[in-house]
Every structure is written in structure tokens, then in C-alpha cells.
Amino acid sequence: MTIMTVDATRRAQNVSACSFDVFDTFLLRACTTPDGVFERVFQLSRIAEKFPNMSVSFVQHRIQAEARARKVALERSGY
């Protein structure tokens, strides 16, 4: 067991959920586009249970968030 794993296990005892936002990146995905990944993330979230008709809105907000982050990164790097 690595130090990182030990630390993560200890931290997991103090939280009820973890979220890793890496835009449309997954190690393995069955979706062919980022939109499909975003929709699947919504489907697997607990919010989908209470608001099942918000999938489209979730995907749109996610795409906008990525665009904003890319714009800021571009402005900061100057490239």
C-alpha cells in the first residue's frame, strides 16, 4: 500500500463523497464524445434521482465550465 493510498483511506473515513472533476477524461469510457461522458456522470449522480429531467442542463453547464477554464488557462499562459 502506498502512502497516497493510506492517506486517501484515512481521509475517506471523514467524508461521504468524493468528486474528481477532470472534464471529459476517463481512463476507459464507452462514450464517443465528452457530452456522453457528462450525461453519464449526471445519470450516476444522486442529483439525477431527484431531478431526472436536468440532464441536458447539466451537460450544457459542464461544457460551459470547460470553455471558461480553457479560456482562463489560455489567458494565463499567453499561448
Side-chain angles (χ1 to χ4, degrees):
M1 186 179 290
T2 66
I3 292 172
M4 191 166 103
T5 305
V6 170
D7 190 44
T9 302
R10 185 173 41 107
R11 288 183 190 181
Q13 295 172 356
N14 299 323
V15 296
S16 60
C18 291
S19 173
F20 301 95
D21 192 351
V22 290
F23 295 116
D24 62 334
T25 304
F26 274 80
L27 296 177
L28 176 66
R29 70 181 193 197
C31 306
T32 57
T33 66
D35 296 8
V37 173
F38 302 150
E39 186 170 355
R40 185 68 180 140
V41 167
F42 176 81
Q43 291 169 351
L44 295 173
S45 72
R46 295 187 73 192
I47 195 76
E49 296 170 9
K50 293 183 179 185
F51 304 100
N53 298 324
M54 292 191 62
S55 174
V56 173
S57 179
F58 178 87
V59 170
Q60 290 172 347
H61 280 88
R62 190 61 194 77
I63 291 169
Q64 291 171 358
E66 180 177 0
R68 285 191 305 272
R70 289 185 186 276
K71 181 180 176 185
V72 168
L74 182 64
E75 291 170 353
R76 288 182 181 169
S77 70
Y79 294 106

